[in-house]
Amino acid sequence: MGKDKKAKQAEKKARVAEKAGKKATQKEKKGKTKGRHADDESDAEDIDLDAVLQEYARQQTQFLKVTETASGPPSPRSSSTLIGSPSHSSELFLFGGELFDGAVAKFYNDLYVYLIDKDEWRVVTSPNTPLPRSGHAWCKGGNDGGIYLFGGEFSSPKQGTFYHYNDFWRLDPGSREWTRLESKGKGPPARSGHRMTYYKNYILLYGGFQDTSQQTKYLSDLWIYDCSNYVWHNPVLPPHSQQPDARSSFSFLPHEAGAAIFGGYSRVKSAVAVGKQTRGGGQNQRTVLKPMVHQDTWFLRVTQPTATTSSSSALTIRWERRKRPANSPNPPRAGATMAFHRGRGILFGGVYDVEESEEGIDSEFFDALFAWGTERNRFFQLTLRRPRAQNKKQQTSDRTGGRRERGKADEDELLRNLAALEAGESLANARSISLSKNVEDGEPPAKPFKEKVFEMPHARFNAQLAVQDDVLYIYGGTFEKGDREFTFDEMWAIDLDKLDGVREIFRRELGNWEGSDDEDSDGEGGDEDEDGEDEDGEEGDPNSELEELSAAASKDTPRKARRKGKAVETSPITTFATLTEPSEPAEIAETTEPDPSLPHPRPFESLRDFYARTSAQWLSLLSKTAAKEHRTEAFRLAEGTWWECREEIRALEDEQEDAGIGEVVGITERGGGEGGGRRR
C-alpha cells in the first residue's frame, strides 16, 4: 500500500511538472507574438485622444462642401449603423464603425449610401461630419423626415483609453448634410451601446454604458427630445414605480402609443464561493462581475399633453413590464440585433456562451431569423421557403426586390399585352415579346441579376439590420473562433414577404488576423486529469481558486464584453458563463389574439387583394376621421393586420399546399354574388 501511494504521488508530481512546462512554453509563444507590436504597445497608453480628435476635426474642414462620389462597398467594420432612408425608398445609409484586426482598432466616420435600384454605392464627404466612432445609435425623425444620431465611442489604437461622445446630430437624407444640434439645456450624458427610436415628433433614447477602462457602468436613464422645441427632457418617474434594469444592446422599437423594449446585455455582481467549506459550515465568498443576457420585455407608454397644456414637458411616461413573449429564441442570446418592420421586430443572429471549464468558454452562434409581434408579444421563426408552383401572374411578378419592383413587373406585363394586341398576336404569346427601353427618356439600365441562395448567411452576432421596401438587409457582423475575431465583409437581402432565398449584395474575403491565435494552446493540456485535492487531503490555495473563478466569470472582458454591450439594435447560474434573468414562478407567455370583429387575411391572399376585399370594413371604422384621410388610414390598418398575421397565414398556406390546395378563391371572385367579404 505504501509503495502504491508513493508511486501515485510521483506520477502526480510528474504530471504537474509537465503541465508547468507546457504553460511556460505557451507564455513564451505569446510573448514572442506580442513582441511584434512592442513599439505600438509602449505608445498605447500615452496617446492623447483629445489631440487625435482635434486632428480629425481639422482634416474635416478641408472639405468645402457636401460631395457624393461613386465608390465600392464599405470596408469591413463592426458596431456601425445601417438605416433605410425616410425620404427615398430605394436608399440605405451606413455610418461609422470600427475594425479590430487583433492588434489595433481603427474607427470610421464615413457615410455610405447604397442605391438599391441601381445596385451602386456612394460615399459622402462633408465639412461637418461627426467624428469617427462606433457603438452610436440613430433613428428616423418623428415627423420631420430626418435621421438623428447620438453618442458613440472612440479609443486609442490598443483600446487602453476610451472617449465617449455626447454630441447630437441630424442628417438630412436628401441633401446628405449633417447638422450638430445644440439643445436648450441639459442633454443626455456621454455613452455608447444605447438605443434610440421615435414617437410622433419626439426622439426616445434609453440605456447604454460608459467605459472608463477601469470599470463599465451600465445606464437605465430615459431621455426624450422634442423635435419642435429643440430641447431634451429627462422624465422623472413616480416614486416606487417599476422600470427596466440598466442594460445595453437591447431592441427598442417604435409603437403608436410609445415604444417596446426586448432583451439586452449587462454585467452584474454575483457572489462566488472561494475555498472549501469551513468547520462551522460557512464558506468564503467574493463578488465578481458576470455577464447577463436580459430576456424581459417592457412597454414604454407615452401620453401626450392635453389641449389645455401646451408645454412639451407635460409628457407623461410609464414603464409597463410585460410577461415573457411566447416562442422567444431559445437559448437566450447576446448580440442578436433587431430591425423594425410594420409593427414587428425582425431579429437575426446572436451568441450564447457556455462555460465548459474554468479555462475557457464555448460559444454557440446562430443564423436564425425571427419576427416579434410587439402587439401580440409573440415570436415566429422565419424560415426560407422553396418557391411553390406559380400561376402566370405570379411568375411575371417574381422579382428580387420589394413592392417597387413588383409594381414594375405589373407595368411590364401590361406593356407586353398591348404590344401583342398591336402586333395582332394572341395574349398567350405576350410573355415572349421583349420590351425595348428608351434610355433617352430617363429609363435606367437594368441592374445585374443576382442569383438567390437557399441558405441563411453564416452564423454571427452584432450584424447590422435595416428594412426598406419590405426587404431585410443584413450587413457585416462578427464571428469568433478561439481568440480570433472575424468581421464579415458582406451584405445580404431577404424579401420578408416571399422568404424565397437570400440575395447577395456583395461579399469579400475575410481580412487577416494580426493578433495571437491561442486556439492550439487552449487545447494543450486539456486532456490531463486535474485533481481538486491531493491524495493526502490537502486543500488548494483559496486565492488561486478565486483568481481562476474570477477569470472564468470575466472571460469575455474587456474586448468581448464591450462588443456585446455595443451590439448594435436583444442559463442556470451554476453551470453557464452567461447569466439570464430568473423568470417568475407563475409567469406564463403572454399573447394577444386578433380581434375577431376585424377582417382577417386568407391563405394565398396578397396585401392588395386583402385590402380590396376588406376596404369597406376598414373605412366603416374611420367614420370620425376626415374624409380625405379615410383611404390612407384604412390601408394602413389593413396593412398592419396583414403583416401581423403573416406568419400564421403562412403556416396555413403550407398545410393547404401539403393537402394539394394551391390557391383560395373567394365567392365574389367566382361570380357567386355578394357577401364574399364577410368573415364567417
Side-chain angles (χ1 to χ4, degrees):
M1 292 291 292
K3 292 183 179 180
D4 293 341
K5 186 174 182 179
K6 290 182 180 180
K8 288 183 179 179
Q9 289 178 347
E11 290 177 3
K12 182 177 179 181
K13 289 181 180 179
R15 288 200 306 268
V16 172
E18 182 182 359
K19 193 175 296 183
K22 286 185 177 181
K23 288 184 178 180
T25 304
Q26 292 171 11
K27 288 182 179 179
E28 184 179 354
K29 289 181 180 179
K30 291 182 180 179
K32 291 180 179 179
T33 303
K34 292 182 178 179
R36 288 181 292 180
H37 307 287
D39 295 336
D40 294 337
E41 286 282 2
S42 61
D43 296 336
E45 302 300 330
D46 298 333
I47 190 170
D48 185 352
L49 290 186
D50 291 331
V52 173
L53 294 176
Q54 288 178 4
E55 176 61 20
Y56 272 115
R58 187 194 66 79
Q59 295 175 4
Q60 205 70 40
T61 59
Q62 298 178 2
F63 299 105
L64 302 179
K65 62 179 181 178
V66 178
T67 59
E68 181 176 330
T69 57
S71 72
S75 57
R77 61 194 68 194
S78 63
S79 300
S80 58
T81 47
L82 181 70
I83 196 172
S85 172
S87 62
H88 201 297
S89 62
S90 62
E91 291 181 348
L92 296 175
F93 291 100
L94 185 142
F95 176 76
E98 67 171 284
L99 177 65
F100 182 70
D101 62 0
V104 296
K106 182 178 181 180
F107 291 77
Y108 301 93
N109 71 331
D110 38 11
L111 176 66
Y112 281 89
V113 184
Y114 177 58
L115 306 180
I116 299 174
D117 54 349
K118 298 180 180 179
D119 191 26
E120 295 178 358
W121 288 91
R122 305 285 175 84
V123 63
V124 178
T125 55
S126 168
N128 200 31
T129 301
L131 293 176
R133 66 192 67 201
S134 69
H136 50 284
W138 66 2
C139 70
K140 301 177 182 179
N143 295 332
D144 66 348
I147 299 175
Y148 290 81
L149 180 147
F150 180 87
E153 68 178 50
F154 183 81
S155 80
S156 58
K158 291 293 181 182
Q159 296 192 325
T161 55
F162 296 90
Y163 179 89
H164 288 268
Y165 295 97
N166 68 340
D167 48 354
F168 190 43
W169 297 82
R170 181 185 183 276
L171 172 66
D172 187 316
S175 64
R176 325 293 205 218
E177 185 173 357
W178 289 98
T179 303
R180 181 165 182 171
L181 302 178
E182 301 294 342
S183 176
K184 302 175 184 177
K186 184 180 178 181
R191 68 190 68 200
S192 62
H194 52 291
R195 294 294 179 267
M196 294 170 59
T197 190
Y198 60 89
Y199 167 74
K200 299 188 184 299
N201 204 33
Y202 301 94
I203 302 297
L204 309 178
L205 183 151
Y206 180 76
F209 68 90
Q210 296 172 334
D211 196 330
T212 62
S213 299
Q214 285 74 32
Q215 65 176 357
T216 301
K217 178 183 178 182
Y218 288 88
L219 306 173
S220 62
D221 51 343
L222 172 69
W223 292 83
I224 300 179
Y225 181 76
D226 187 340
C227 298
S228 300
N229 297 309
Y230 312 106
V231 61
W232 282 102
H233 298 283
N234 182 210
V236 179
L237 295 174
H240 309 295
S241 61
Q242 59 180 356
Q243 70 178 78
D245 295 330
R247 68 191 67 195
S248 67
S249 182
F250 51 93
S251 300
F252 201 24
L253 302 182
H255 189 276
E256 60 182 8
I261 280 182
F262 171 74
Y265 178 88
S266 65
R267 297 177 64 80
V268 297
K269 293 181 179 179
S270 178
V272 177
V274 180
K276 293 192 174 182
Q277 193 172 11
T278 61
R279 293 181 180 179
Q283 194 168 16
N284 296 327
Q285 290 188 341
R286 292 291 297 271
T287 301
V288 298
L289 290 176
K290 283 195 172 185
M292 169 174 279
V293 178
H294 298 269
Q295 302 179 81
D296 51 347
T297 306
W298 293 80
F299 183 75
L300 177 64
R301 190 171 299 280
V302 182
T303 305
Q304 288 187 286
T306 61
T308 58
T309 307
S310 59
S311 174
S312 60
S313 61
L315 277 175
T316 303
I317 66 107
R318 183 175 77 252
W319 286 107
E320 301 174 358
R321 177 160 186 166
R322 306 177 70 181
K323 294 183 180 179
R324 62 180 176 88
N327 303 329
S328 56
N330 187 35
R333 53 205 66 179
T337 47
M338 186 179 289
F340 179 71
H341 173 242
R342 305 190 186 281
R344 315 183 301 168
I346 308 300
L347 181 144
F348 174 73
V351 59
Y352 177 62
D353 293 334
V354 183
E355 182 180 0
E356 295 215 333
S357 68
E358 295 177 355
E359 297 182 354
I361 293 179
D362 182 35
S363 297
E364 181 181 1
F365 295 84
F366 301 93
D367 61 357
L369 193 66
F370 290 86
W372 176 45
T374 57
E375 193 68 35
R376 301 179 58 189
N377 197 24
R378 184 183 183 92
F379 276 93
F380 291 94
Q381 184 168 359
L382 306 182
T383 56
L384 300 179
R385 299 159 56 87
R386 296 285 182 184
R388 60 173 180 259
Q390 299 175 327
N391 57 36
K392 186 178 298 185
K393 182 177 180 180
Q394 289 173 326
Q395 290 174 352
T396 58
S397 62
D398 185 17
R399 295 293 185 269
T400 57
R403 291 173 297 168
R404 178 180 297 272
E405 293 194 11
R406 290 194 289 270
K408 187 68 172 61
D410 292 339
E411 180 183 347
D412 290 346
E413 182 184 10
L414 178 60
L415 292 175
R416 286 191 180 93
N417 290 339
L418 292 175
L421 292 174
E422 292 176 356
E425 298 183 8
S426 172
L427 293 179
N429 301 325
R431 284 178 52 81
S432 61
I433 298 178
S434 60
L435 298 176
S436 59
K437 304 294 183 181
N438 190 354
V439 181
E440 296 181 358
D441 292 339
E443 183 72 25
K447 63 182 179 182
F449 176 74
K450 295 184 177 180
E451 289 285 349
K452 295 180 182 179
V453 295
F454 202 77
E455 182 180 0
M456 290 296 293
H458 193 284
R460 68 195 70 193
F461 70 101
N462 287 7
Q464 310 306 308
L465 307 183
V467 177
Q468 190 74 308
D469 197 24
D470 297 334
V471 176
L472 173 69
Y473 294 89
I474 303 174
Y475 171 77
T478 305
F479 180 79
E480 295 170 352
K481 187 176 182 181
D483 284 346
R484 295 192 63 181
E485 177 182 325
F486 301 93
T487 300
F488 289 100
D489 189 11
E490 60 191 28
M491 185 167 170
W492 305 87
I494 301 175
D495 189 325
L496 294 175
D497 180 16
K498 299 178 180 179
L499 295 176
D500 57 347
V502 182
R503 179 163 51 95
E504 177 187 309
I505 304 299
F506 77 90
R507 185 182 185 188
R508 292 182 295 216
E509 294 298 324
L510 298 174
N512 295 327
W513 179 253
E514 302 295 336
S516 62
D517 187 357
D518 298 331
E519 259 189 286
D520 298 333
S521 63
D522 288 343
E524 293 182 11
D527 297 332
E528 310 285 351
D529 293 331
E530 296 190 38
D531 297 328
E533 61 182 83
D534 295 340
E535 295 290 337
D536 297 331
E538 298 177 359
E539 293 186 3
D541 184 3
N543 293 328
S544 62
E545 183 178 355
L546 172 62
E547 292 176 0
E548 293 176 358
L549 289 171
S550 300
S554 57
K555 181 70 175 179
D556 60 347
T557 60
R559 171 78 189 166
K560 292 184 179 180
R562 297 187 70 260
R563 282 201 311 277
K564 293 171 186 173
K566 287 187 286 187
V568 289
E569 255 320 27
T570 121
S571 326
I573 295 179
T574 55
T575 56
F576 296 101
T578 302
L579 300 178
T580 56
E581 289 184 323
S583 301
E584 300 177 6
E587 184 181 11
I588 59 173
E590 178 190 41
T591 58
T592 303
E593 295 301 324
D595 188 348
S597 64
L598 297 178
H600 198 270
R602 297 170 176 170
F604 308 105
E605 187 173 45
S606 66
L607 174 58
R608 183 195 306 180
D609 295 337
F610 173 58
Y611 178 68
R613 177 173 62 85
T614 62
S615 58
Q617 292 169 271
W618 295 114
L619 289 169
S620 66
L621 299 175
L622 305 171
S623 57
K624 297 181 180 180
T625 311
K628 63 180 181 180
E629 301 176 358
H630 272 195
R631 288 190 168 277
T632 301
E633 183 65 14
F635 181 77
R636 189 187 68 82
L637 292 174
E639 185 178 45
T641 301
W642 191 84
W643 281 107
E644 181 182 356
C645 303
R646 188 73 195 102
E647 305 317 316
E648 292 172 300
I649 297 300
R650 209 189 299 270
L652 290 176
E653 292 174 356
D654 292 339
E655 292 178 3
Q656 294 186 5
E657 277 194 327
D658 293 340
I661 304 174
E663 186 173 2
V664 176
V665 181
I667 297 176
T668 54
E669 296 170 351
R670 297 201 307 261
E674 299 180 358
R678 186 184 303 274
R679 182 169 178 263
R680 301 186 181 277

